[in-house]
Amino acid sequence: MTQQLGLVIDTDLCTGCNTCAVACKMENNIPATNWWTRTLTEGGESIDSYGGSYGLGAKRYLTLSCQHCENPACTRVCPVQATYKDEETGIVHQDYDKCIGCRMCIAACPYTGVRNFNWEEPAYSVEIMTGDPSVPAHQKHVVEKCTLCNHRIAQELEPMCVASCPAYARFFGDLNDPNSEVSQLIATRESKQLLLERGTQPSVYFLA
Amino acid sequence: MQKYESPIDTATPKAVSKKIDSLTLHEGEQKRDITRRSFLKSGAAVAGIAALGSSFSLIGCTSNSNAGEQPGLDGEETTGWGRCYHGGCFACRYMVTVRDGVVAKIAPDPDAPFGRRPCLRGYAQIQRLYATDRIRYPMKRVGERGENEWEQITWDEAIETIAAEFGKLLAENDSHCIASYGGSPGARLGSLSSSRLAMILELTTFDMSADWALYQGLHQVYGAASASTMSSPGNEPFEDDIINAKRIFLWGNNLTESYLQRWRFVKQAQRNGAELISIDPNETTTGVRSDKWYRLRPATDTALILAMCNAIIEEDLQDSDYLKEWTVAPYLVKDSDGAFLRMSDLGVEPEEGPVDMMTGMPTLIDPQVFWDEDTNAAVAAGTEGAKPSLTGSYETNGIKVTTAYDLFVKHVEDYTPESMADITEMSPDDIRDLARMAADGPVTHMFGLGLQAYQNGLQYGVALGTLLAITGQTGKPGAGIGATAYDFPMNAMWLFPTFTFANSISVLDVPEVIKTGQWNGNPYPPIKALLVNGGGLVGSVVNMNRMVDEVFKKLDFIVCVDVAFSDTARWADIVLPGNLCFESEDIYISPLNYSVQYWPKLIEPLYECKTTGEITRLIGTALGMGELFSYTDEEALRELLTVEPLISMGIDLDSLRKEGDMRYAPPSLAGASGSYPTASGKVEFYVENMSARLGNVTGATVDPSENHFAHFYPPLEAWPESEAQKKHPFILTSVRSRNRWHTSNFNVPWLNELDPEPTLFINPDDAKSNDLENGGYVEVYNDRGAAVAKVSVSSGMRPGMLAYPKGWQSHQYKSGNFGTLTHAEYDPLAMNASFFDCAVSIRKWEE
């Protein structure tokens, strides 16, 4: 594997605004009710709420999408290799044409909700195809998820969630390259990955 | 007969252009313009506008289709600049891709000013444009008013009906019997046609009266470039200057949610060493990231500032040089009447000054007076070489006088940190710490507008201005108020071609004016008809039920131009389909960043939608004033830009088409010249004659002698001892939604997937003691109204306070509307809606 592309998210800058989520939805023409990236509130019981007690409350936002793990749980359980790790970039892909809709990958993935299953024909709240036309058409009875905007990477553009962040909190690059911006950020700032104990080696880092 | 909830799309949309007018493309964009046939996926049919027409289906339902059948997938592709505009936002510039005549993609523009990237609302504008419930053609009411039953009519019928109704009213009544209201879209030059109509016809216009208390207070101290612009003394550009601040005071300001575009610059300043100080009753995303969070009782910021001033003076931390040089502090005030001593009091005849533009008469120059320490005598303020004394009481020419500063020192003796501790619910130590930090600059103050949405809100503006004056925090890098808005240059004469004017009445007064037939204490013509040009006249107003019952139900005839069936549109007799940003060329002269911002027209207006300019021309012409309404939208923009300093800066429609954004003022330090737009040219924290912003129904005035200095008094309802709180113990406040802006975007599906329904934040202990569970429903009620919302338990809420994200329309609630709960009482000086000054009760709600 030559590269491991991934994301670094500065949670001190991130305000949980969901611009990444909506820009992603637009760019990838994602059907109604599916979200490839979304914002979770770490704190209280619901979106934007605080835990703890008044005056001592705690809240932070985590944006959650496919972690493009170095050691993915999904690829091992897929019976037809519809989900697989790209040798060159480290991106975890989902091939709609191969997917048989068994949803084993969803069960195996520890990061709840990052994979979406289209139970019905993909539906749209507004009848406009949005985003980049080279994004593969969405299909019924398949699993879909974040592609790390590989269609944009091919055009030498950053993933839409990174390019769109109004807080400039998101960074994209090759985690295997020690000189990349993302590697430098991880080396110099305190960071965490999600559910490391599951052994997936996720490629998304959250700066404290 | 059709009902809003049932399908309204029986007609195929008519006008969607497949080409962009070449005029709308600018050079920079043409360079990167990609005109290509895009790769067609898996043999899907080429999508065209026919598919767009046929595929619209049930309102609020999603329709099934493959991506391949969606319009926008394929076809001729061009890119151009786009922007949002929601009243008061930054109108970020981004790149819009139009594919086969359809707006299909929005992406950040790397060349946008300050690297500004649109927020989620920007990307969602595609859905707002093509929303299934967009108002597509003129419609007339067929049920009772407010029943929301409509029938499509032609433009001809709509205009004929409007002209007949208006024509009859104008023939039989004083023209003020027709009222005109323009909401947020009015800040775009293209919308000013409706103002022109109101001026020509001498109509009544409604003033929205929101967010003004703070500015009106601040203007008393630091002045304002013009009476109609909210302005504050801050350095420009904010984005470049904030890095110079040593401290940033965030007064009730959660800019991560209300002004996200400024957040990264504030954060950058913090990483550069600036201390972020959040002063807020509630915990916010911004507060969490601040270095310090001070919690105070809501509506007591004025008491806190005055106690800080007390502590600053006690510790001798005031900036005496600044006070002497730039403020009225050394000016002598007559003990007898509280007016400034003037040279005419000392026998010096006033001199003639420049001619007043409004009266045509020469102004009289009668300087104020200060005490010269060297000569120990009263001399004209500003006398060269004189040494003004900041303190002292004197007698001159038999008149007893005291310096304004001494009067202030005496005024704040009542505001010790100890005596304000109970009021603010802060410790005296915390108040003293804040005082020391405020005096140790450079300090940039940034405020939110919630803290002024109480009956006592104007006082906060005066108090903040006073704090700036006492601490000398303007005129240097990193100091001042980091929420600037300035006057914007525009050829206003275009609005008054007949030199006639409309009369502006506050929305807070409108029901009373209609009921009493009085305004400013004089008889006022009965208002019988209303022309609304966008905006939340119902959805954003306080005491919504009163507005509906006493205005919308009473009028004879109501026309509303809108893009979706808002709370306001639903109360109209005729709705007209307005246009959105990508459908017309337009310009916004943004006072938020001193720039003129340009929109190209990217597509023809969809369906039967028309620009405000065109709608106004149709009405004006039908009323027989064709010669005054013969201009094109382009000609109107050119005329409105023909004004200094734009002319000499080369800012006109042609240069804007090329450049997109042009700054009309150089970077500057506010007040660095030492001259302020006040009557004296100095910072007037001693307010000689407090002025009211607007007239009011009874013509009530306020005694200036009670308003020389900022002073604290409790708000009307949101106070433990208030009558209202005895009955309704909670304080209801609102927060900015990330998804909506005011009421804009209430109907955008992507945004509503993220945030599907009205919610209410409540402290966990309050929830528990009222039997409320997270995710359950609560009814919020008082004597005026009620609203049902989903409970969101959050420890960030101060006990006793509630907060709801604003902007939902009545039909989106399970019951009621938060807008029905607020009161419409006002301070006549501020004439401002007190959205937060609202006492309510809560109870569990079950369907």
Side-chain angles (χ1 to χ4, degrees):
Chain A
M1 193 177 293
T2 52
Q3 286 183 316
Q4 178 57 61
L5 299 179
L7 301 173
V8 171
I9 297 152
D10 188 335
T11 63
D12 187 38
L13 284 169
C14 173
T15 67
C17 69
N18 266 320
T19 301
C20 51
V22 175
C24 163
K25 188 133 172 159
M26 184 281 303
E27 173 73 9
N28 292 290
N29 192 34
I30 297 173
T33 73
N34 286 2
W35 293 89
W36 286 1
T37 185
R38 65 196 204 282
T39 306
L40 306 180
T41 307
E42 196 182 39
E45 295 173 69
S46 54
I47 291 170
D48 290 331
S49 74
Y50 291 77
S53 57
Y54 176 68
L56 304 163
K59 182 177 80 171
R60 206 157 266 262
Y61 294 103
L62 287 178
T63 51
L64 190 65
S65 56
C66 173
Q67 304 287 294
H68 298 284
C69 305
E70 220 175 301
N71 183 27
C74 52
T75 57
R76 270 177 288 153
V77 298
C78 179
V80 293
Q81 285 83 50
T83 187
Y84 62 97
K85 198 159 170 62
D86 187 274
E87 286 295 323
E88 201 185 324
T89 61
I91 294 174
V92 174
H93 287 305
Q94 183 77 19
D95 185 333
Y96 302 158
D97 292 334
K98 280 188 183 169
C99 178
I100 55 169
C102 71
R103 309 184 305 285
M104 292 289 281
C105 55
I106 294 180
C109 174
Y111 307 101
T112 311
V114 302
R115 288 175 166 266
N116 298 256
F117 182 67
N118 292 328
W119 290 93
E120 301 294 340
E121 200 62 59
Y124 294 86
S125 43
V126 166
E127 265 324 292
I128 294 296
M129 185 278 166
T130 62
D132 194 303
S134 66
V135 170
H138 296 268
Q139 298 180 20
K140 183 182 177 180
H141 290 168
V142 301
V143 170
E144 57 174 64
K145 65 162 194 74
C146 161
T147 64
L148 213 55
C149 282
N150 59 345
H151 65 283
R152 287 176 59 92
I153 296 171
Q155 300 166 50
E156 297 190 346
L157 295 167
E158 291 180 315
M160 198 59 171
C161 61
V162 175
S164 66
C165 178
Y168 285 67
R170 300 174 75 89
F171 304 87
F172 163 75
D174 180 11
L175 298 163
N176 284 349
D177 173 4
N179 296 318
S180 68
E181 187 182 28
V182 284
S183 296
Q184 290 293 313
L185 283 166
I186 298 164
T188 55
R189 298 264 308 269
E190 193 190 323
S191 68
K192 70 171 180 183
Q193 293 152 281
L194 301 178
L195 304 179
L196 263 184
E197 67 278 13
R198 299 293 290 268
T200 49
Q201 276 303 320
S203 302
V204 179
Y205 290 75
F206 295 90
L207 301 177
Chain B
M1 190 193 292
Q2 296 159 354
K3 206 173 171 72
Y4 165 70
E5 280 74 14
S6 64
I8 53 170
D9 181 43
T10 52
T12 301
K14 287 173 186 166
V16 181
S17 110
K18 294 199 179 191
K19 270 191 172 176
I20 300 180
D21 182 347
S22 61
L23 274 177
T24 65
L25 299 174
H26 59 90
E27 284 187 355
E29 168 263 316
Q30 279 170 337
K31 274 179 219 147
R32 88 186 78 149
D33 180 18
I34 329 154
T35 301
R36 62 184 165 92
R37 299 293 296 183
S38 33
F39 178 58
L40 192 62
K41 297 299 295 178
S42 58
V46 178
I49 211 57
L52 175 66
S54 61
S55 58
F56 278 105
S57 60
L58 293 176
I59 302 306
C61 294
T62 59
S63 58
N64 296 333
S65 78
N66 291 318
E69 293 166 6
Q70 290 174 280
L73 172 72
D74 187 51
E76 190 79 9
E77 186 175 286
T78 46
T79 55
W81 286 320
R83 294 179 190 277
C84 304
Y85 186 75
H86 309 110
C89 85
F90 284 97
C92 304
R93 188 175 95 194
Y94 42 73
M95 300 309 296
V96 175
T97 301
V98 178
R99 206 177 287 136
D100 199 24
V102 172
V103 174
K105 176 172 167 147
I106 285 169
D109 177 357
D111 300 324
F114 306 114
R116 205 171 274 151
R117 295 167 170 178
C119 72
L120 68 168
R121 287 169 281 229
Y123 299 93
Q125 289 310 297
I126 299 176
Q127 291 210 319
R128 194 168 174 225
L129 195 64
Y130 297 105
T132 46
D133 60 348
R134 182 153 177 206
I135 297 174
R136 299 177 179 198
Y137 30 67
M139 283 190 263
K140 71 174 180 191
R141 168 174 70 81
V142 287
E144 288 297 305
R145 192 179 282 162
E147 270 188 351
N148 198 33
E149 294 192 8
W150 304 93
E151 190 177 280
Q152 182 180 354
I153 54 175
T154 63
W155 269 104
D156 285 347
E157 184 183 342
I159 297 298
E160 277 164 24
T161 310
I162 294 165
E165 294 283 345
F166 282 9
K168 188 163 162 271
L169 286 169
L170 291 169
E172 294 170 2
N173 300 276
D174 182 311
S175 60
H176 293 101
C177 70
I178 302 176
S180 162
Y181 172 77
S184 302
R188 300 197 329 251
L189 297 192
S191 299
L192 289 172
S193 273
S194 65
S195 302
R196 181 176 156 111
L197 181 76
M199 299 294 178
I200 291 170
L201 293 177
E202 296 181 82
L203 306 183
T204 297
T205 52
F206 291 167
D207 176 274
M208 195 58 198
S209 301
D211 304 341
W212 265 107
L214 190 159
Y215 284 102
Q216 181 67 8
L218 196 54
H219 291 176
Q220 304 297 318
V221 183
Y222 274 88
S226 88
S228 61
T229 307
M230 296 170 172
S231 63
S232 56
N235 304 334
E236 280 291 326
F238 168 85
E239 289 82 351
D240 294 344
D241 180 66
I242 191 67
I243 198 81
N244 299 313
K246 181 173 181 176
R247 292 208 168 79
I248 302 168
F249 273 59
L250 297 153
W251 296 91
N253 184 342
N254 183 16
L255 75 162
T256 56
E257 278 151 47
S258 56
Y259 269 108
L260 176 61
Q261 297 296 351
R262 287 193 161 151
W263 165 243
R264 71 188 177 102
F265 297 99
V266 169
K267 195 70 205 172
Q268 208 172 20
Q270 187 190 34
R271 287 182 176 175
N272 193 46
E275 204 173 11
L276 296 194
I277 314 289
S278 184
I279 300 161
D280 204 309
N282 298 310
E283 192 159 6
T284 64
T285 310
T286 311
V288 172
R289 316 293 167 81
S290 296
D291 297 280
K292 288 172 180 154
W293 170 35
Y294 291 90
R295 298 177 283 286
L296 82 173
R297 187 206 295 264
T300 65
D301 305 72
T302 299
L304 170 60
I305 291 181
L306 292 170
M308 287 165 65
C309 289
N310 176 296
I312 285 165
I313 290 163
E314 184 190 14
E315 298 187 24
D316 203 23
L317 298 173
Q318 73 281 0
D319 188 338
S320 297
D321 291 341
Y322 180 96
L323 283 164
K324 281 183 198 170
E325 198 166 354
W326 305 129
T327 81
V328 296
Y331 286 15
L332 300 172
V333 176
K334 291 186 274 187
D335 292 0
S336 55
D337 61 2
F340 285 125
L341 180 72
R342 290 173 191 273
M343 289 307 285
S344 58
D345 293 315
L346 305 180
V348 178
E349 283 301 308
E351 286 173 25
E352 275 194 10
V355 172
D356 184 321
M357 295 288 280
M358 295 304 285
T359 62
M361 301 291 284
T363 48
L364 288 181
I365 300 177
D366 186 9
Q368 288 94 334
V369 179
F370 59 57
W371 197 263
D372 178 20
E373 288 182 350
D374 285 342
T375 59
N376 207 25
V379 299
T383 300
E384 196 121 342
K387 203 171 153 195
S389 176
L390 200 53
T391 61
S393 289
Y394 310 92
E395 191 170 326
T396 179
N397 206 20
I399 305 166
K400 286 185 176 161
V401 291
T402 306
T403 66
Y405 184 70
D406 265 7
L407 293 175
F408 181 71
V409 172
K410 186 159 171 37
H411 175 69
V412 294
E413 276 174 7
D414 294 339
Y415 292 91
T416 62
E418 285 70 21
S419 65
M420 289 300 109
D422 284 347
I423 301 264
T424 57
E425 294 191 342
M426 288 178 65
S427 75
D429 285 349
D430 280 351
I431 296 173
R432 289 201 163 82
D433 284 345
L434 277 169
R436 289 174 199 126
M437 288 189 287
D440 183 18
V443 177
T444 294
H445 294 268
M446 301 180 76
F447 48 73
L449 292 165
L451 49 72
Q452 59 94 60
Y454 296 90
Q455 181 85 345
N456 61 5
L458 175 136
Q459 296 300 327
Y460 172 80
V462 185
L464 182 64
T466 304
L467 180 65
L468 285 180
I470 299 297
T471 55
Q473 292 298 326
T474 65
K476 52 192 173 190
I481 290 181
T484 57
Y486 289 87
D487 199 20
F488 54 91
M490 171 185 86
N491 176 19
M493 290 311 292
W494 185 80
L495 301 177
F496 323 118
T498 50
F499 295 96
T500 52
F501 301 89
N503 184 48
S504 184
I505 291 180
S506 168
V507 290
L508 306 177
D509 263 344
V510 168
E512 205 59 19
V513 170
I514 290 176
K515 195 189 288 176
T516 62
Q518 243 204 0
W519 186 70
N520 244 0
N522 296 314
Y524 199 81
I527 297 170
K528 292 176 180 289
L530 175 62
L531 172 62
V532 178
N533 184 40
L537 187 52
V538 174
S540 286
V541 80
V542 281
N543 202 345
M544 180 193 284
N545 286 339
R546 188 183 73 143
M547 179 56 91
V548 168
D549 292 342
E550 298 178 19
V551 180
F552 279 80
K553 285 184 183 171
K554 294 267 169 73
L555 298 181
D556 293 347
F557 185 59
I558 302 169
V559 181
C560 181
V561 183
D562 214 328
V563 293
F565 274 99
S566 62
D567 278 340
T568 313
R570 284 165 186 245
W571 282 99
D573 299 315
I574 288 188
V575 290
L576 301 175
N579 75 304
L580 283 162
C581 288
F582 307 151
E583 299 168 313
S584 66
E585 183 176 44
D586 214 331
I587 283 162
Y588 173 45
I589 300 181
S590 171
L592 277 173
N593 52 10
Y594 263 144
S595 67
V596 186
Q597 304 179 326
Y598 171 77
W599 278 264
K601 174 174 170 178
L602 297 173
I603 56 170
E604 288 298 322
L606 292 171
Y607 322 117
E608 294 187 21
C609 303
K610 292 189 189 294
T611 65
T612 308
E614 196 175 347
I615 294 171
T616 312
R617 284 194 296 273
L618 289 171
I619 296 174
T621 305
L623 286 171
M625 299 179 300
E627 75 283 2
L628 289 165
F629 291 93
S630 59
Y631 55 87
T632 63
D633 284 354
E634 180 179 332
E635 284 163 355
L637 293 180
R638 288 189 188 279
E639 286 273 339
L640 283 160
L641 290 168
T642 308
V643 69
E644 288 297 347
L646 302 185
I647 297 169
S648 43
M649 296 183 81
I651 299 176
D652 58 27
L653 191 59
D654 299 313
S655 57
L656 285 164
R657 282 175 174 170
K658 214 164 137 189
E659 305 286 337
D661 295 72
M662 294 177 81
R663 282 178 68 80
Y664 60 83
S668 69
L669 297 175
S673 66
S675 178
Y676 296 88
T678 55
S680 64
K682 299 289 180 189
V683 179
E684 298 185 350
F685 69 93
Y686 181 88
V687 185
E688 191 180 26
N689 280 304
M690 177 73 82
S691 61
R693 191 173 72 80
L694 277 180
N696 61 59
V697 66
T698 60
T701 53
V702 173
D703 183 357
S705 71
E706 291 167 11
N707 283 284
H708 291 311
F709 291 119
H711 57 280
F712 173 77
Y713 59 90
L716 187 69
E717 290 198 354
W719 199 249
E721 286 86 42
S722 76
E723 282 303 309
Q725 288 257 268
K726 280 176 198 154
K727 206 167 160 190
H728 302 296
F730 286 92
I731 300 171
L732 180 68
T733 66
S734 63
V735 292
R736 272 278 166 85
S737 155
R738 298 189 180 90
N739 298 3
R740 298 170 299 281
W741 188 284
H742 303 308
T743 53
S744 296
N745 297 330
F746 71 84
N747 62 330
V748 177
W750 285 339
L751 303 179
N752 290 351
E753 277 185 41
L754 291 167
D755 180 19
E757 62 183 319
T759 50
L760 181 78
F761 291 103
I762 182 171
N763 180 277
D765 295 335
D766 289 337
K768 206 174 162 188
S769 57
N770 286 278
D771 193 27
L772 299 173
E773 280 174 15
N774 192 63
Y777 288 91
V778 59
E779 183 176 27
V780 184
Y781 65 97
N782 62 17
D783 301 349
R784 291 177 292 267
V788 171
K790 196 169 196 165
V791 175
S792 187
V793 172
S794 173
S795 67
M797 289 308 299
R798 184 180 180 88
M801 279 185 88
L802 308 168
Y804 62 92
K806 60 184 241 184
W808 293 110
Q809 303 294 289
S810 296
H811 68 276
Q812 297 175 303
Y813 287 80
K814 286 190 177 293
S815 175
N817 187 316
F818 284 118
T820 65
L821 293 151
T822 44
H823 71 70
E825 302 301 315
Y826 55 82
D827 165 8
L829 289 170
M831 191 50 88
N832 191 56
S834 295
F835 294 98
F836 284 25
D837 194 3
C838 180
V840 295
S841 295
I842 54 174
R843 61 189 163 214
K844 191 173 183 168
W845 191 81
E846 283 168 70
E847 255 172 296

